Each structure stands twice: as structure tokens, then as C-alpha cells.
PDB file of all heavy atoms in Angstrom:
ATOM      1  N   PRO A 258     -18.585   1.039   6.223  1.00  0.00           N
ATOM      2  CA  PRO A 258     -17.822  -0.213   6.037  1.00  0.00           C
ATOM      3  C   PRO A 258     -18.067  -0.823   4.651  1.00  0.00           C
ATOM      4  O   PRO A 258     -19.148  -0.532   4.068  1.00  0.00           O
ATOM      5  CB  PRO A 258     -18.436  -1.199   7.141  1.00  0.00           C
ATOM      6  CG  PRO A 258     -18.988  -0.212   8.161  1.00  0.00           C
ATOM      7  CD  PRO A 258     -19.472   1.028   7.448  1.00  0.00           C
ATOM      8  N   VAL A 259     -17.101  -1.488   4.183  1.00  0.00           N
ATOM      9  CA  VAL A 259     -17.253  -2.006   2.840  1.00  0.00           C
ATOM     10  C   VAL A 259     -18.494  -2.911   2.635  1.00  0.00           C
ATOM     11  O   VAL A 259     -19.175  -2.897   1.637  1.00  0.00           O
ATOM     12  CB  VAL A 259     -15.972  -2.894   2.459  1.00  0.00           C
ATOM     13  CG1 VAL A 259     -16.147  -3.541   1.136  1.00  0.00           C
ATOM     14  CG2 VAL A 259     -14.779  -2.011   2.478  1.00  0.00           C
ATOM     15  N   GLU A 260     -18.838  -3.702   3.695  1.00  0.00           N
ATOM     16  CA  GLU A 260     -20.043  -4.612   3.629  1.00  0.00           C
ATOM     17  C   GLU A 260     -21.313  -3.752   3.409  1.00  0.00           C
ATOM     18  O   GLU A 260     -22.267  -4.326   2.933  1.00  0.00           O
ATOM     19  CB  GLU A 260     -20.160  -5.455   4.894  1.00  0.00           C
ATOM     20  CG  GLU A 260     -19.077  -6.510   5.029  1.00  0.00           C
ATOM     21  CD  GLU A 260     -17.779  -5.923   5.630  1.00  0.00           C
ATOM     22  OE1 GLU A 260     -17.726  -4.678   5.828  1.00  0.00           O
ATOM     23  OE2 GLU A 260     -16.929  -6.731   5.899  1.00  0.00           O
ATOM     24  N   GLN A 261     -21.381  -2.499   3.751  1.00  0.00           N
ATOM     25  CA  GLN A 261     -22.578  -1.642   3.653  1.00  0.00           C
ATOM     26  C   GLN A 261     -22.596  -0.841   2.319  1.00  0.00           C
ATOM     27  O   GLN A 261     -23.543  -0.090   2.091  1.00  0.00           O
ATOM     28  CB  GLN A 261     -22.732  -0.727   4.844  1.00  0.00           C
ATOM     29  CG  GLN A 261     -22.799  -1.420   6.161  1.00  0.00           C
ATOM     30  CD  GLN A 261     -22.925  -0.563   7.278  1.00  0.00           C
ATOM     31  OE1 GLN A 261     -22.954   0.708   7.094  1.00  0.00           O
ATOM     32  NE2 GLN A 261     -23.041  -1.089   8.520  1.00  0.00           N
ATOM     33  N   GLN A 262     -21.522  -0.968   1.537  1.00  0.00           N
ATOM     34  CA  GLN A 262     -21.403  -0.090   0.411  1.00  0.00           C
ATOM     35  C   GLN A 262     -21.812  -0.807  -0.913  1.00  0.00           C
ATOM     36  O   GLN A 262     -21.552  -1.979  -1.019  1.00  0.00           O
ATOM     37  CB  GLN A 262     -19.956   0.385   0.266  1.00  0.00           C
ATOM     38  CG  GLN A 262     -19.544   1.238   1.294  1.00  0.00           C
ATOM     39  CD  GLN A 262     -18.083   1.807   0.978  1.00  0.00           C
ATOM     40  OE1 GLN A 262     -17.854   2.195  -0.054  1.00  0.00           O
ATOM     41  NE2 GLN A 262     -17.290   1.744   2.013  1.00  0.00           N
ATOM     42  N   GLY A 263     -22.424  -0.063  -1.741  1.00  0.00           N
ATOM     43  CA  GLY A 263     -22.699  -0.507  -3.094  1.00  0.00           C
ATOM     44  C   GLY A 263     -21.392  -0.325  -3.950  1.00  0.00           C
ATOM     45  O   GLY A 263     -21.211  -1.055  -4.938  1.00  0.00           O
ATOM     46  N   ARG A 264     -20.636   0.736  -3.636  1.00  0.00           N
ATOM     47  CA  ARG A 264     -19.480   1.005  -4.426  1.00  0.00           C
ATOM     48  C   ARG A 264     -18.407   1.567  -3.472  1.00  0.00           C
ATOM     49  O   ARG A 264     -18.646   2.442  -2.726  1.00  0.00           O
ATOM     50  CB  ARG A 264     -19.842   2.008  -5.490  1.00  0.00           C
ATOM     51  CG  ARG A 264     -18.693   2.343  -6.473  1.00  0.00           C
ATOM     52  CD  ARG A 264     -19.107   3.405  -7.432  1.00  0.00           C
ATOM     53  NE  ARG A 264     -20.332   2.959  -8.211  1.00  0.00           N
ATOM     54  CZ  ARG A 264     -20.190   2.220  -9.344  1.00  0.00           C
ATOM     55  NH1 ARG A 264     -19.029   1.912  -9.830  1.00  0.00           N
ATOM     56  NH2 ARG A 264     -21.261   1.906  -9.997  1.00  0.00           N
ATOM     57  N   MET A 265     -17.167   1.025  -3.586  1.00  0.00           N
ATOM     58  CA  MET A 265     -16.072   1.466  -2.747  1.00  0.00           C
ATOM     59  C   MET A 265     -15.475   2.759  -3.336  1.00  0.00           C
ATOM     60  O   MET A 265     -15.439   2.904  -4.597  1.00  0.00           O
ATOM     61  CB  MET A 265     -15.068   0.402  -2.640  1.00  0.00           C
ATOM     62  CG  MET A 265     -15.565  -0.872  -1.983  1.00  0.00           C
ATOM     63  SD  MET A 265     -14.415  -2.282  -2.064  1.00  0.00           S
ATOM     64  CE  MET A 265     -12.907  -1.602  -1.140  1.00  0.00           C
ATOM     65  N   THR A 266     -14.916   3.529  -2.450  1.00  0.00           N
ATOM     66  CA  THR A 266     -14.203   4.780  -2.938  1.00  0.00           C
ATOM     67  C   THR A 266     -12.828   4.394  -3.464  1.00  0.00           C
ATOM     68  O   THR A 266     -12.353   3.311  -3.239  1.00  0.00           O
ATOM     69  CB  THR A 266     -14.034   5.816  -1.822  1.00  0.00           C
ATOM     70  OG1 THR A 266     -13.149   5.202  -0.781  1.00  0.00           O
ATOM     71  CG2 THR A 266     -15.385   6.172  -1.144  1.00  0.00           C
ATOM     72  N   HIS A 267     -12.210   5.247  -4.160  1.00  0.00           N
ATOM     73  CA  HIS A 267     -10.925   5.042  -4.798  1.00  0.00           C
ATOM     74  C   HIS A 267      -9.885   4.767  -3.660  1.00  0.00           C
ATOM     75  O   HIS A 267      -9.100   3.789  -3.793  1.00  0.00           O
ATOM     76  CB  HIS A 267     -10.470   6.242  -5.588  1.00  0.00           C
ATOM     77  CG  HIS A 267      -9.130   6.132  -6.166  1.00  0.00           C
ATOM     78  ND1 HIS A 267      -8.749   5.169  -7.117  1.00  0.00           N
ATOM     79  CD2 HIS A 267      -7.943   6.903  -5.962  1.00  0.00           C
ATOM     80  CE1 HIS A 267      -7.501   5.322  -7.465  1.00  0.00           C
ATOM     81  NE2 HIS A 267      -6.961   6.305  -6.760  1.00  0.00           N
ATOM     82  N   ARG A 268      -9.929   5.472  -2.605  1.00  0.00           N
ATOM     83  CA  ARG A 268      -9.030   5.269  -1.499  1.00  0.00           C
ATOM     84  C   ARG A 268      -9.195   3.856  -0.845  1.00  0.00           C
ATOM     85  O   ARG A 268      -8.254   3.150  -0.568  1.00  0.00           O
ATOM     86  CB  ARG A 268      -9.210   6.335  -0.370  1.00  0.00           C
ATOM     87  CG  ARG A 268      -8.265   6.201   0.820  1.00  0.00           C
ATOM     88  CD  ARG A 268      -8.477   7.326   1.788  1.00  0.00           C
ATOM     89  NE  ARG A 268      -7.642   7.108   2.971  1.00  0.00           N
ATOM     90  CZ  ARG A 268      -7.595   7.942   4.043  1.00  0.00           C
ATOM     91  NH1 ARG A 268      -8.299   9.038   3.991  1.00  0.00           N
ATOM     92  NH2 ARG A 268      -6.834   7.678   5.063  1.00  0.00           N
ATOM     93  N   GLN A 269     -10.485   3.507  -0.670  1.00  0.00           N
ATOM     94  CA  GLN A 269     -10.739   2.194  -0.010  1.00  0.00           C
ATOM     95  C   GLN A 269     -10.223   1.056  -0.973  1.00  0.00           C
ATOM     96  O   GLN A 269      -9.786   0.056  -0.484  1.00  0.00           O
ATOM     97  CB  GLN A 269     -12.245   2.026   0.238  1.00  0.00           C
ATOM     98  CG  GLN A 269     -12.664   2.885   1.436  1.00  0.00           C
ATOM     99  CD  GLN A 269     -14.245   2.944   1.484  1.00  0.00           C
ATOM    100  OE1 GLN A 269     -14.911   2.889   0.505  1.00  0.00           O
ATOM    101  NE2 GLN A 269     -14.728   3.179   2.683  1.00  0.00           N
ATOM    102  N   ILE A 270     -10.450   1.263  -2.231  1.00  0.00           N
ATOM    103  CA  ILE A 270      -9.981   0.204  -3.192  1.00  0.00           C
ATOM    104  C   ILE A 270      -8.508   0.077  -3.101  1.00  0.00           C
ATOM    105  O   ILE A 270      -7.921  -1.037  -3.117  1.00  0.00           O
ATOM    106  CB  ILE A 270     -10.404   0.588  -4.674  1.00  0.00           C
ATOM    107  CG1 ILE A 270     -11.918   0.374  -4.784  1.00  0.00           C
ATOM    108  CG2 ILE A 270      -9.721  -0.357  -5.686  1.00  0.00           C
ATOM    109  CD1 ILE A 270     -12.487   0.852  -6.076  1.00  0.00           C
ATOM    110  N   LEU A 271      -7.772   1.242  -3.136  1.00  0.00           N
ATOM    111  CA  LEU A 271      -6.311   1.158  -3.038  1.00  0.00           C
ATOM    112  C   LEU A 271      -5.821   0.494  -1.796  1.00  0.00           C
ATOM    113  O   LEU A 271      -4.856  -0.247  -1.763  1.00  0.00           O
ATOM    114  CB  LEU A 271      -5.767   2.598  -3.171  1.00  0.00           C
ATOM    115  CG  LEU A 271      -5.839   3.247  -4.550  1.00  0.00           C
ATOM    116  CD1 LEU A 271      -5.284   4.677  -4.446  1.00  0.00           C
ATOM    117  CD2 LEU A 271      -5.118   2.447  -5.576  1.00  0.00           C
ATOM    118  N   GLU A 272      -6.502   0.838  -0.644  1.00  0.00           N
ATOM    119  CA  GLU A 272      -6.089   0.167   0.595  1.00  0.00           C
ATOM    120  C   GLU A 272      -6.317  -1.326   0.534  1.00  0.00           C
ATOM    121  O   GLU A 272      -5.535  -2.129   0.988  1.00  0.00           O
ATOM    122  CB  GLU A 272      -6.908   0.799   1.767  1.00  0.00           C
ATOM    123  CG  GLU A 272      -6.548   2.224   2.116  1.00  0.00           C
ATOM    124  CD  GLU A 272      -7.421   2.784   3.200  1.00  0.00           C
ATOM    125  OE1 GLU A 272      -8.462   2.198   3.532  1.00  0.00           O
ATOM    126  OE2 GLU A 272      -7.090   3.868   3.705  1.00  0.00           O
ATOM    127  N   ALA A 273      -7.450  -1.709   0.030  1.00  0.00           N
ATOM    128  CA  ALA A 273      -7.746  -3.193  -0.113  1.00  0.00           C
ATOM    129  C   ALA A 273      -6.850  -3.854  -1.081  1.00  0.00           C
ATOM    130  O   ALA A 273      -6.467  -5.047  -0.869  1.00  0.00           O
ATOM    131  CB  ALA A 273      -9.206  -3.423  -0.575  1.00  0.00           C
ATOM    132  N   LEU A 274      -6.420  -3.120  -2.105  1.00  0.00           N
ATOM    133  CA  LEU A 274      -5.527  -3.731  -3.110  1.00  0.00           C
ATOM    134  C   LEU A 274      -4.103  -3.859  -2.533  1.00  0.00           C
ATOM    135  O   LEU A 274      -3.262  -4.765  -3.034  1.00  0.00           O
ATOM    136  CB  LEU A 274      -5.479  -2.904  -4.353  1.00  0.00           C
ATOM    137  CG  LEU A 274      -6.674  -3.021  -5.334  1.00  0.00           C
ATOM    138  CD1 LEU A 274      -6.494  -2.047  -6.523  1.00  0.00           C
ATOM    139  CD2 LEU A 274      -6.757  -4.363  -5.845  1.00  0.00           C
ATOM    140  N   SER A 275      -3.765  -3.076  -1.579  1.00  0.00           N
ATOM    141  CA  SER A 275      -2.356  -3.137  -1.125  1.00  0.00           C
ATOM    142  C   SER A 275      -1.898  -4.464  -0.624  1.00  0.00           C
ATOM    143  O   SER A 275      -0.799  -5.003  -1.099  1.00  0.00           O
ATOM    144  CB  SER A 275      -2.195  -2.162   0.083  1.00  0.00           C
ATOM    145  OG  SER A 275      -2.937  -2.474   1.187  1.00  0.00           O
ATOM    146  N   GLY A 276      -2.714  -5.148   0.147  1.00  0.00           N
ATOM    147  CA  GLY A 276      -2.322  -6.511   0.601  1.00  0.00           C
ATOM    148  C   GLY A 276      -2.362  -7.555  -0.540  1.00  0.00           C
ATOM    149  O   GLY A 276      -1.476  -8.375  -0.645  1.00  0.00           O
ATOM    150  N   MET A 277      -3.324  -7.397  -1.439  1.00  0.00           N
ATOM    151  CA  MET A 277      -3.465  -8.356  -2.551  1.00  0.00           C
ATOM    152  C   MET A 277      -2.312  -8.188  -3.517  1.00  0.00           C
ATOM    153  O   MET A 277      -1.750  -9.176  -3.992  1.00  0.00           O
ATOM    154  CB  MET A 277      -4.814  -8.178  -3.254  1.00  0.00           C
ATOM    155  CG  MET A 277      -5.981  -8.589  -2.444  1.00  0.00           C
ATOM    156  SD  MET A 277      -7.484  -8.736  -3.410  1.00  0.00           S
ATOM    157  CE  MET A 277      -7.747  -7.093  -3.847  1.00  0.00           C
ATOM    158  N   LEU A 278      -1.969  -6.959  -3.795  1.00  0.00           N
ATOM    159  CA  LEU A 278      -0.824  -6.747  -4.698  1.00  0.00           C
ATOM    160  C   LEU A 278       0.488  -7.199  -4.153  1.00  0.00           C
ATOM    161  O   LEU A 278       1.321  -7.776  -4.858  1.00  0.00           O
ATOM    162  CB  LEU A 278      -0.768  -5.271  -5.098  1.00  0.00           C
ATOM    163  CG  LEU A 278      -1.957  -4.750  -5.990  1.00  0.00           C
ATOM    164  CD1 LEU A 278      -1.758  -3.213  -6.236  1.00  0.00           C
ATOM    165  CD2 LEU A 278      -2.091  -5.455  -7.335  1.00  0.00           C
ATOM    166  N   LEU A 279       0.585  -7.042  -2.851  1.00  0.00           N
ATOM    167  CA  LEU A 279       1.859  -7.551  -2.213  1.00  0.00           C
ATOM    168  C   LEU A 279       1.888  -9.059  -2.256  1.00  0.00           C
ATOM    169  O   LEU A 279       2.997  -9.728  -2.388  1.00  0.00           O
ATOM    170  CB  LEU A 279       1.973  -7.055  -0.844  1.00  0.00           C
ATOM    171  CG  LEU A 279       3.287  -7.372  -0.029  1.00  0.00           C
ATOM    172  CD1 LEU A 279       4.449  -6.889  -0.850  1.00  0.00           C
ATOM    173  CD2 LEU A 279       3.279  -6.820   1.371  1.00  0.00           C
ATOM    174  N   ALA A 280       0.705  -9.704  -2.036  1.00  0.00           N
ATOM    175  CA  ALA A 280       0.605 -11.131  -2.153  1.00  0.00           C
ATOM    176  C   ALA A 280       1.038 -11.601  -3.576  1.00  0.00           C
ATOM    177  O   ALA A 280       1.713 -12.598  -3.699  1.00  0.00           O
ATOM    178  CB  ALA A 280      -0.797 -11.649  -1.807  1.00  0.00           C
ATOM    179  N   MET A 281       0.518 -10.894  -4.584  1.00  0.00           N
ATOM    180  CA  MET A 281       0.857 -11.291  -5.981  1.00  0.00           C
ATOM    181  C   MET A 281       2.345 -10.996  -6.129  1.00  0.00           C
ATOM    182  O   MET A 281       3.043 -11.816  -6.901  1.00  0.00           O
ATOM    183  CB  MET A 281       0.094 -10.391  -6.950  1.00  0.00           C
ATOM    184  CG  MET A 281      -1.349 -10.883  -7.101  1.00  0.00           C
ATOM    185  SD  MET A 281      -1.536 -12.537  -7.838  1.00  0.00           S
ATOM    186  CE  MET A 281      -1.082 -12.172  -9.555  1.00  0.00           C
ATOM    187  N   PHE A 282       2.899  -9.967  -5.557  1.00  0.00           N
ATOM    188  CA  PHE A 282       4.355  -9.750  -5.674  1.00  0.00           C
ATOM    189  C   PHE A 282       5.108 -10.870  -5.093  1.00  0.00           C
ATOM    190  O   PHE A 282       6.166 -11.288  -5.661  1.00  0.00           O
ATOM    191  CB  PHE A 282       4.673  -8.392  -4.947  1.00  0.00           C
ATOM    192  CG  PHE A 282       6.148  -8.081  -4.996  1.00  0.00           C
ATOM    193  CD1 PHE A 282       6.685  -7.504  -6.128  1.00  0.00           C
ATOM    194  CD2 PHE A 282       6.960  -8.249  -3.881  1.00  0.00           C
ATOM    195  CE1 PHE A 282       8.037  -7.207  -6.167  1.00  0.00           C
ATOM    196  CE2 PHE A 282       8.286  -7.883  -3.869  1.00  0.00           C
ATOM    197  CZ  PHE A 282       8.797  -7.352  -5.084  1.00  0.00           C
ATOM    198  N   VAL A 283       4.705 -11.339  -4.000  1.00  0.00           N
ATOM    199  CA  VAL A 283       5.374 -12.563  -3.343  1.00  0.00           C
ATOM    200  C   VAL A 283       5.356 -13.735  -4.266  1.00  0.00           C
ATOM    201  O   VAL A 283       6.395 -14.372  -4.490  1.00  0.00           O
ATOM    202  CB  VAL A 283       4.663 -12.886  -1.973  1.00  0.00           C
ATOM    203  CG1 VAL A 283       5.257 -14.250  -1.461  1.00  0.00           C
ATOM    204  CG2 VAL A 283       4.955 -11.841  -0.948  1.00  0.00           C
ATOM    205  N   ALA A 284       4.192 -13.995  -4.880  1.00  0.00           N
ATOM    206  CA  ALA A 284       4.054 -15.071  -5.800  1.00  0.00           C
ATOM    207  C   ALA A 284       4.963 -15.022  -6.972  1.00  0.00           C
ATOM    208  O   ALA A 284       5.691 -15.921  -7.335  1.00  0.00           O
ATOM    209  CB  ALA A 284       2.612 -15.268  -6.193  1.00  0.00           C
ATOM    210  N   PHE A 285       4.891 -13.835  -7.639  1.00  0.00           N
ATOM    211  CA  PHE A 285       5.723 -13.704  -8.839  1.00  0.00           C
ATOM    212  C   PHE A 285       7.235 -13.611  -8.520  1.00  0.00           C
ATOM    213  O   PHE A 285       8.063 -14.143  -9.268  1.00  0.00           O
ATOM    214  CB  PHE A 285       5.275 -12.408  -9.590  1.00  0.00           C
ATOM    215  CG  PHE A 285       4.094 -12.630 -10.479  1.00  0.00           C
ATOM    216  CD1 PHE A 285       2.851 -12.251 -10.047  1.00  0.00           C
ATOM    217  CD2 PHE A 285       4.168 -13.225 -11.733  1.00  0.00           C
ATOM    218  CE1 PHE A 285       1.671 -12.439 -10.849  1.00  0.00           C
ATOM    219  CE2 PHE A 285       3.032 -13.384 -12.499  1.00  0.00           C
ATOM    220  CZ  PHE A 285       1.818 -13.034 -12.080  1.00  0.00           C
ATOM    221  N   LEU A 286       7.462 -12.953  -7.444  1.00  0.00           N
ATOM    222  CA  LEU A 286       8.877 -12.876  -7.059  1.00  0.00           C
ATOM    223  C   LEU A 286       9.471 -14.246  -6.743  1.00  0.00           C
ATOM    224  O   LEU A 286      10.628 -14.577  -7.254  1.00  0.00           O
ATOM    225  CB  LEU A 286       9.039 -11.918  -5.763  1.00  0.00           C
ATOM    226  CG  LEU A 286      10.518 -11.740  -5.290  1.00  0.00           C
ATOM    227  CD1 LEU A 286      11.338 -10.929  -6.277  1.00  0.00           C
ATOM    228  CD2 LEU A 286      10.524 -11.121  -3.865  1.00  0.00           C
ATOM    229  N   SER A 287       8.807 -15.000  -5.969  1.00  0.00           N
ATOM    230  CA  SER A 287       9.242 -16.303  -5.616  1.00  0.00           C
ATOM    231  C   SER A 287       9.307 -17.248  -6.734  1.00  0.00           C
ATOM    232  O   SER A 287      10.102 -18.251  -6.778  1.00  0.00           O
ATOM    233  CB  SER A 287       8.301 -16.921  -4.471  1.00  0.00           C
ATOM    234  OG  SER A 287       8.374 -16.156  -3.356  1.00  0.00           O
ATOM    235  N   SER A 288       8.502 -16.967  -7.853  1.00  0.00           N
ATOM    236  CA  SER A 288       8.609 -17.788  -9.133  1.00  0.00           C
ATOM    237  C   SER A 288       9.770 -17.316  -9.982  1.00  0.00           C
ATOM    238  O   SER A 288      10.531 -18.155 -10.410  1.00  0.00           O
ATOM    239  CB  SER A 288       7.280 -17.635  -9.817  1.00  0.00           C
ATOM    240  OG  SER A 288       6.218 -18.091  -9.047  1.00  0.00           O
ATOM    241  N   THR A 289       9.857 -16.020 -10.177  1.00  0.00           N
ATOM    242  CA  THR A 289      10.883 -15.539 -11.109  1.00  0.00           C
ATOM    243  C   THR A 289      12.246 -15.529 -10.501  1.00  0.00           C
ATOM    244  O   THR A 289      13.254 -15.566 -11.256  1.00  0.00           O
ATOM    245  CB  THR A 289      10.560 -14.118 -11.579  1.00  0.00           C
ATOM    246  OG1 THR A 289      10.440 -13.227 -10.501  1.00  0.00           O
ATOM    247  CG2 THR A 289       9.190 -14.054 -12.284  1.00  0.00           C
ATOM    248  N   VAL A 290      12.357 -15.397  -9.114  1.00  0.00           N
ATOM    249  CA  VAL A 290      13.680 -15.409  -8.533  1.00  0.00           C
ATOM    250  C   VAL A 290      14.464 -16.740  -8.806  1.00  0.00           C
ATOM    251  O   VAL A 290      15.658 -16.792  -8.823  1.00  0.00           O
ATOM    252  CB  VAL A 290      13.649 -15.141  -7.073  1.00  0.00           C
ATOM    253  CG1 VAL A 290      13.141 -16.358  -6.322  1.00  0.00           C
ATOM    254  CG2 VAL A 290      14.874 -14.631  -6.525  1.00  0.00           C
ATOM    255  N   VAL A 291      13.721 -17.823  -9.120  1.00  0.00           N
ATOM    256  CA  VAL A 291      14.302 -19.092  -9.328  1.00  0.00           C
ATOM    257  C   VAL A 291      14.785 -19.260 -10.871  1.00  0.00           C
ATOM    258  O   VAL A 291      15.668 -20.048 -11.085  1.00  0.00           O
ATOM    259  CB  VAL A 291      13.286 -20.160  -9.002  1.00  0.00           C
ATOM    260  CG1 VAL A 291      13.909 -21.576  -9.309  1.00  0.00           C
ATOM    261  CG2 VAL A 291      12.820 -20.101  -7.510  1.00  0.00           C
ATOM    262  N   SER A 292      14.215 -18.486 -11.719  1.00  0.00           N
ATOM    263  CA  SER A 292      14.414 -18.706 -13.155  1.00  0.00           C
ATOM    264  C   SER A 292      15.927 -18.604 -13.501  1.00  0.00           C
ATOM    265  O   SER A 292      16.466 -19.551 -14.252  1.00  0.00           O
ATOM    266  CB  SER A 292      13.573 -17.757 -14.002  1.00  0.00           C
ATOM    267  OG  SER A 292      13.967 -16.354 -13.663  1.00  0.00           O
ATOM    268  N   ASN A 293      16.548 -17.561 -13.082  1.00  0.00           N
ATOM    269  CA  ASN A 293      17.967 -17.407 -13.392  1.00  0.00           C
ATOM    270  C   ASN A 293      18.867 -18.332 -12.533  1.00  0.00           C
ATOM    271  O   ASN A 293      20.083 -18.511 -12.875  1.00  0.00           O
ATOM    272  CB  ASN A 293      18.428 -15.938 -13.318  1.00  0.00           C
ATOM    273  CG  ASN A 293      18.094 -15.176 -14.510  1.00  0.00           C
ATOM    274  OD1 ASN A 293      17.849 -15.711 -15.580  1.00  0.00           O
ATOM    275  ND2 ASN A 293      18.152 -13.821 -14.405  1.00  0.00           N
ATOM    276  N   ALA A 294      18.336 -18.779 -11.428  1.00  0.00           N
ATOM    277  CA  ALA A 294      19.121 -19.713 -10.612  1.00  0.00           C
ATOM    278  C   ALA A 294      19.059 -21.149 -11.024  1.00  0.00           C
ATOM    279  O   ALA A 294      19.876 -21.962 -10.679  1.00  0.00           O
ATOM    280  CB  ALA A 294      18.633 -19.573  -9.143  1.00  0.00           C
ATOM    281  N   LEU A 295      18.089 -21.483 -11.848  1.00  0.00           N
ATOM    282  CA  LEU A 295      17.846 -22.880 -12.250  1.00  0.00           C
ATOM    283  C   LEU A 295      19.102 -23.529 -12.932  1.00  0.00           C
ATOM    284  O   LEU A 295      19.399 -24.650 -12.544  1.00  0.00           O
ATOM    285  CB  LEU A 295      16.628 -23.004 -13.155  1.00  0.00           C
ATOM    286  CG  LEU A 295      15.335 -23.301 -12.517  1.00  0.00           C
ATOM    287  CD1 LEU A 295      14.205 -23.486 -13.520  1.00  0.00           C
ATOM    288  CD2 LEU A 295      15.434 -24.617 -11.694  1.00  0.00           C
ATOM    289  N   PRO A 296      19.753 -22.828 -13.882  1.00  0.00           N
ATOM    290  CA  PRO A 296      20.987 -23.524 -14.414  1.00  0.00           C
ATOM    291  C   PRO A 296      21.971 -23.886 -13.307  1.00  0.00           C
ATOM    292  O   PRO A 296      22.612 -24.925 -13.352  1.00  0.00           O
ATOM    293  CB  PRO A 296      21.524 -22.484 -15.360  1.00  0.00           C
ATOM    294  CG  PRO A 296      20.309 -21.728 -15.820  1.00  0.00           C
ATOM    295  CD  PRO A 296      19.471 -21.638 -14.576  1.00  0.00           C
ATOM    296  N   THR A 297      22.134 -22.978 -12.345  1.00  0.00           N
ATOM    297  CA  THR A 297      23.086 -23.281 -11.231  1.00  0.00           C
ATOM    298  C   THR A 297      22.571 -24.379 -10.352  1.00  0.00           C
ATOM    299  O   THR A 297      23.297 -25.295  -9.906  1.00  0.00           O
ATOM    300  CB  THR A 297      23.334 -22.007 -10.399  1.00  0.00           C
ATOM    301  OG1 THR A 297      23.856 -20.933 -11.242  1.00  0.00           O
ATOM    302  CG2 THR A 297      24.263 -22.253  -9.229  1.00  0.00           C
ATOM    303  N   ILE A 298      21.226 -24.303 -10.076  1.00  0.00           N
ATOM    304  CA  ILE A 298      20.654 -25.401  -9.190  1.00  0.00           C
ATOM    305  C   ILE A 298      20.855 -26.775  -9.826  1.00  0.00           C
ATOM    306  O   ILE A 298      21.242 -27.742  -9.178  1.00  0.00           O
ATOM    307  CB  ILE A 298      19.227 -25.059  -8.958  1.00  0.00           C
ATOM    308  CG1 ILE A 298      19.015 -23.797  -8.153  1.00  0.00           C
ATOM    309  CG2 ILE A 298      18.476 -26.287  -8.212  1.00  0.00           C
ATOM    310  CD1 ILE A 298      17.583 -23.324  -8.018  1.00  0.00           C
ATOM    311  N   ILE A 299      20.453 -26.925 -11.153  1.00  0.00           N
ATOM    312  CA  ILE A 299      20.514 -28.193 -11.837  1.00  0.00           C
ATOM    313  C   ILE A 299      21.961 -28.658 -11.939  1.00  0.00           C
ATOM    314  O   ILE A 299      22.290 -29.871 -11.803  1.00  0.00           O
ATOM    315  CB  ILE A 299      19.830 -27.977 -13.197  1.00  0.00           C
ATOM    316  CG1 ILE A 299      18.348 -27.654 -13.050  1.00  0.00           C
ATOM    317  CG2 ILE A 299      20.054 -29.383 -13.976  1.00  0.00           C
ATOM    318  CD1 ILE A 299      17.607 -28.738 -12.341  1.00  0.00           C
ATOM    319  N   THR A 300      22.875 -27.682 -12.249  1.00  0.00           N
ATOM    320  CA  THR A 300      24.250 -28.108 -12.259  1.00  0.00           C
ATOM    321  C   THR A 300      24.831 -28.537 -10.943  1.00  0.00           C
ATOM    322  O   THR A 300      25.481 -29.582 -10.865  1.00  0.00           O
ATOM    323  CB  THR A 300      25.111 -26.933 -12.819  1.00  0.00           C
ATOM    324  OG1 THR A 300      24.617 -26.526 -14.062  1.00  0.00           O
ATOM    325  CG2 THR A 300      26.612 -27.310 -12.984  1.00  0.00           C
TER     326      THR A 300
END
């Protein structure tokens, strides 16, 4: 388990990163998806 490791393997890091990267994708997507819509929204 990760809690018992001094260093994670490459596979474990990629697995752990999957959820975090998707979370970042949600944040950036939800931010940038508005940028081109703003002129329409404000109008």
C-alpha cells in the first residue's frame, strides 16, 4: 500500500494521477468553456 512505501512505482503514480488530472481537466474545461461564450452571455 502507498502508506507503507517510501517511493511509489510508476504504475501507482499514474493510477493516482488519473483522478487528479481529470479533476484539473474539469476545472480548466469549466473555466475555458466560458471564455468564447462570454461575448454572447454579456450581450
Side-chain angles (χ1 to χ4, degrees):
V259 175
E260 289 84 354
Q261 297 179 3
Q262 294 185 44
R264 186 182 300 273
M265 295 171 64
T266 65
H267 177 62
R268 178 178 176 179
Q269 289 169 329
I270 290 174
L271 289 179
E272 289 177 349
L274 282 177
S275 60
M277 291 193 295
L278 292 179
L279 186 57
M281 284 295 286
F282 179 76
V283 170
F285 278 100
L286 180 71
S287 298
S288 300
T289 58
V290 76
V291 179
S292 60
N293 276 344
L295 266 181
T297 302
I298 295 172
I299 297 299
T300 302

